[in-house]
Amino acid sequence: MTKPSGIKGPLRIQVVEGGAVVSSFEQIPFSSNKADLEKGIVDKFFLSMNKGLAKSGEKFLLLDPQQNEENDFDFTVTSPDGPAYLELMEIAPLQGPHEHAPAGYRPYDFAQAIFDGIHQKSQRYPKNMIQDLYLLLYVTHWTFSLNEATHRCLKYWCTHTPTVFRAIFSYESLDDEEGEPRWIFPVPPKLLANFDPEQVRDHYCLNLDPRKFKLIQ
């Protein structure tokens, strides 16, 4: 099955022969095949999560992701409580191609659209799962990069509105090998202390197109 994806990638800066410094945009080659794209996202998410936790001598709570056939849970994983499931959801609340998405968004509204997707996905499953179910949100297009206000709104709503998911994570690729994994739910209460989504209702986030970055010397 094919799956559309967006444009994302880093700006590479290097010194070439003669000492000149040049830059170039390196697009992450997301697969157009749904299964391959999702496997690539999960593999890099696990790699990045474990690499980050290794600094404090810890390991990610989930292990050994095994991709399932279509019309099943996306992945089976090993959790501290035994076999569990991992579902994926792309952060792309749009109508039409990725490239038509505007560069800016209001974090409150953007987070609300994402949470609505999480809630709708949660309602597809029994409230009392025999095995734990985890959710991984991921981004493939630069316009949908989550800023801190968006993350905080998601953490707040996922904490205060029950879903079927044992835990929820997000992941954004930084290049073809690594990315930024984040915990959405559950999170320590102190991270939400004194936060109210209404505080950021009027905030605005403008993401920049990485293809247009230029090196100024």
Side-chain angles (χ1 to χ4, degrees):
M1 177 185 294
T2 59
K3 188 181 191 311
S5 60
I7 296 171
K8 212 170 187 305
L11 181 73
R12 295 290 188 189
I13 299 175
Q14 59 182 335
V15 179
V16 298
E17 186 176 353
V21 180
V22 298
S23 64
S24 61
F25 169 68
E26 294 190 3
Q27 183 170 337
I28 298 171
F30 294 116
S31 175
S32 60
N33 178 274
K34 181 177 183 292
D36 291 342
L37 185 150
E38 292 184 344
K39 185 177 188 307
I41 292 292
V42 168
D43 287 346
K44 293 169 189 174
F45 166 69
F46 272 68
L47 176 66
S48 297
M49 184 66 85
N50 278 305
K51 186 173 182 179
L53 290 172
K55 298 174 184 177
S56 57
E58 301 178 71
K59 290 185 178 180
F60 187 38
L61 79 162
L62 302 181
L63 302 168
D64 193 28
Q66 298 295 319
Q67 193 166 31
N68 296 318
E69 297 294 330
E70 195 172 343
N71 299 321
D72 195 351
F73 293 104
D74 292 330
F75 288 81
T76 297
V77 296
T78 299
S79 77
D81 297 318
Y85 299 115
L86 176 67
E87 281 284 270
L88 273 65
M89 175 181 141
E90 183 179 5
I91 296 176
L94 49 73
Q95 298 294 326
H98 287 72
E99 57 266 27
H100 290 176
Y105 61 77
R106 293 191 180 278
Y108 182 99
D109 296 336
F110 187 38
Q112 186 67 68
I114 297 170
F115 181 73
D116 286 347
I118 294 172
H119 191 255
Q120 290 172 15
K121 195 171 185 68
S122 175
Q123 291 182 316
R124 300 176 189 173
Y125 308 108
K127 291 184 178 179
N128 297 313
M129 297 281 294
I130 297 176
Q131 295 177 321
D132 285 337
L133 179 60
Y134 296 82
L135 178 64
L136 174 61
L137 311 173
Y138 68 94
V139 174
T140 68
H141 194 52
W142 62 273
T143 62
F144 299 126
S145 290
L146 278 63
N147 73 345
E148 188 59 32
T150 305
H151 270 289
R152 296 189 74 183
C153 285
L154 285 173
K155 291 174 182 177
Y156 182 92
W157 286 323
C158 288
T159 296
H160 289 83
T161 305
T163 68
V164 72
F165 302 111
R166 176 66 180 80
I168 302 172
F169 318 98
S170 69
Y171 178 74
E172 295 192 45
S173 297
L174 297 177
D175 56 28
D176 192 30
E177 296 181 357
E178 296 184 57
E180 181 183 20
R182 299 281 297 267
W183 284 79
I184 300 295
F185 170 83
V187 294
K190 65 180 180 180
L191 293 183
L192 297 174
N194 302 318
F195 176 74
D196 181 347
E198 292 298 323
Q199 297 169 348
V200 300
R201 181 182 280 273
D202 295 327
H203 286 200
Y204 190 80
C205 173
L206 178 63
N207 287 320
L208 302 178
D209 188 342
R211 296 169 296 181
K212 298 180 180 179
F213 289 171
K214 293 183 179 180
L215 177 64
I216 299 176
Q217 302 183 57

